[in-house]
């Protein structure tokens, strides 16, 4: 058989196929090169080693918040005492609530009435005024103080020892109150509660029951009035209403409360105080009757009046 060369390829019958133009050839060559590059890159990616796994760590426990400072009651026999106190008994009792912030603490100084002792004022259950002495029911004012929710410390100085007397003793001396308070901070509030000294970082208020009003008056008259921002008289306004009124009117940031029972002495003087200072000071003076019996007024009214004084609130308190 004899072979002959193939006829030229045609796109159409009888029409020779023309080679592509130079620009088209260049584009086709670039496309082929890109396809080859992608093929090689894909192969490289497929053959590349996998990245190392990210290490996992167990969840670390979150440390709990610090526990609030516990409630505490401390006793002391200060060198400066307004009255003679028998051995085995404190000259001052101090109580702090749970969660107290000592860096901004206020002082609530409670001035008790007749025939009482500092331990009995604070305690809830039976307590002996002297070590080993007979026990008697406490007034429970530490609990009532804590219920107020204030960031304050209850301070109870011993006034006339179990006596039918409201004599202020050395609190009558000019400057004694200030010196006594500095010793209180240095010897008790600082070491026991962490209160920074030498002065109290917050405010100081007086709460007087019954015959304790005499000591409150003595503190005001002995140049201690400037140190006091609030006064509460719990059926205690048996006299001195002009002095208390003058103290209230002397500064616009002070507060004064007088609660009275049907006793004619405290009722009439409380109303006189209201008539004299009420129109000027407005809401900074609280004069109101209480339904509690004379001896029960502190336990019934302390927490309410402390809140009215607008002392700093304790964090976490109800």
């Amino acid at each position: 058989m004899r072979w002959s060369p193939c006829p030229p390829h045609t796109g159409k019958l009888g029409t020779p196929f023309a080679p592509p133009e130079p620009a088209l050839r260049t584009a086709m060559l670039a496309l082929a090169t890109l396809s080859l590059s992608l093929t090689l890159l894909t192969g490289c990616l497929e053959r590349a080693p996998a990245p190392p796994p990210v290490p996992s760590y167990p969840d670390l426990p979150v440390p709990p918040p610090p526990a609030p400072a516990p409630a505490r009651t401390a006793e002391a026999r200060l060198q400066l005492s307004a009255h003679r106190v028998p051995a085995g008994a404190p000259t001052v009792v101090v109580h702090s609530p749970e969660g107290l912030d000592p860096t901004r603490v206020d002082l609530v100084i409670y001035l008790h009435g007749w025939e009482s002792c500092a331990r009995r004022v604070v305690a809830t259950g039976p307590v002996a005024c002297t070590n080993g002495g007979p026990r008697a029911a406490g007034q429970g004012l530490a609990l009532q103080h804590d219920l107020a929710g204030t960031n304050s410390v209850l301070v109870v100085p011993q006034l006339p020892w179990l006596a039918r007397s409201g004599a202020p003793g050395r609190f009558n001396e000019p400057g004694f109150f200030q010196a006594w308070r500095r010793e209180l901070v240095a010897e008790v509030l600082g070491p026991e509660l962490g209160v920074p000294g030498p002065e109290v970082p917050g405010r100081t208020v007086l709460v007087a029951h019954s015959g304790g009003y005499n000591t409150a008056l003595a503190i005001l008259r002995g140049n201690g009035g400037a140190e006091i921002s609030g006064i509460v008289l719990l059926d205690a306004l048996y006299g001195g209403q002009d002095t208390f009124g003058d103290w209230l009117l002397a500064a616009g940031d002070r507060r004064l409360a007088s609660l009275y029972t049907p006793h004619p002495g405290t009722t009439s003087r409380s109303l006189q105080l209201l008539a004299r200072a009420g129109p000027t000071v407005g809401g900074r003076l609280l004069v109101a009757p209480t339904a509690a019996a004379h001896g029960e007024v502190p336990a019934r009214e302390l927490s309410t009046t402390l809140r009215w004084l607008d002392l700093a609130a304790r964090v976490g308190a109800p």
Side-chain angles (χ1 to χ4, degrees):
M1 178 180 290
R2 183 179 177 185
W3 295 92
S4 61
C6 296
H9 181 75
T10 60
K12 293 183 179 180
L13 183 63
T15 304
F17 183 80
E21 297 296 328
L24 180 59
R25 288 199 303 271
T26 302
M28 293 173 64
L29 179 61
L31 181 61
T33 303
L34 176 61
S35 176
L36 178 61
S37 300
L38 291 175
T39 301
L40 294 175
L41 179 60
T42 303
C44 292
L45 291 175
E46 290 176 352
R47 292 191 299 272
V54 178
S56 61
Y57 299 96
D59 292 335
L60 298 178
V62 178
R72 296 192 60 187
T73 299
E75 300 179 346
R77 288 184 65 90
L78 298 181
Q79 185 176 3
L80 292 175
S81 178
H83 299 270
R84 297 185 64 176
V85 179
T91 63
V92 65
V93 177
V94 172
H95 173 80
S96 65
E98 181 182 37
L100 179 78
D101 179 359
T103 63
R104 58 184 186 92
V105 68
D106 295 326
L107 291 191
V108 176
I109 300 177
Y110 182 84
L111 308 172
H112 66 74
W114 289 9
E115 300 178 310
S116 190
C117 74
R119 281 179 178 168
R120 193 178 294 168
V121 168
V122 173
T124 300
V127 65
C129 287
T130 56
N131 297 339
R135 298 165 68 85
Q139 290 182 266
L141 294 196
L143 175 61
Q144 297 304 316
H145 166 269
D146 294 359
L147 289 175
T150 55
N151 193 69
S152 57
V153 172
L154 178 65
V155 179
V156 185
Q158 182 61 55
L159 298 183
W161 176 260
L162 297 175
R164 293 179 60 84
S165 170
R170 293 193 64 189
F171 281 118
N172 256 331
E173 301 175 12
F176 178 84
F177 172 75
Q178 293 92 327
W180 172 85
R181 194 177 61 164
R182 284 193 296 270
E183 185 184 2
L184 175 72
V185 174
E187 300 298 329
V188 183
L189 301 185
E192 297 291 338
L193 306 179
V195 175
E199 299 295 337
V200 178
R203 293 181 285 175
T204 298
V205 301
L206 303 178
V207 179
H209 174 233
S210 191
Y213 82 99
N214 270 320
T215 300
L217 285 173
I219 292 172
L220 298 186
R221 292 166 175 163
N223 300 324
E227 316 289 332
I228 308 301
S229 65
I231 297 176
V232 174
L233 303 172
L234 299 175
D235 204 27
L237 192 53
Y238 289 95
Q241 61 269 23
D242 289 342
T243 300
F244 287 119
D246 290 343
W247 168 85
L248 178 64
L249 293 168
D253 59 348
R254 296 173 177 174
R255 290 193 171 203
L256 172 62
S258 179
L259 305 186
Y260 57 89
T261 64
H263 188 284
T266 56
T267 299
S268 61
R269 290 177 176 84
S270 295
L271 296 178
Q272 290 172 26
L273 173 64
L274 178 63
R276 180 172 184 268
T280 303
V281 301
R284 295 192 295 115
L285 174 63
L286 171 64
V287 175
T290 174
H294 177 75
E296 301 298 322
V297 175
R300 288 277 298 273
E301 305 289 1
L302 179 63
S303 60
T304 302
T305 51
L306 289 183
R307 286 193 291 268
W308 178 82
L309 286 175
D310 199 28
L311 301 177
R314 192 169 69 252
V315 175

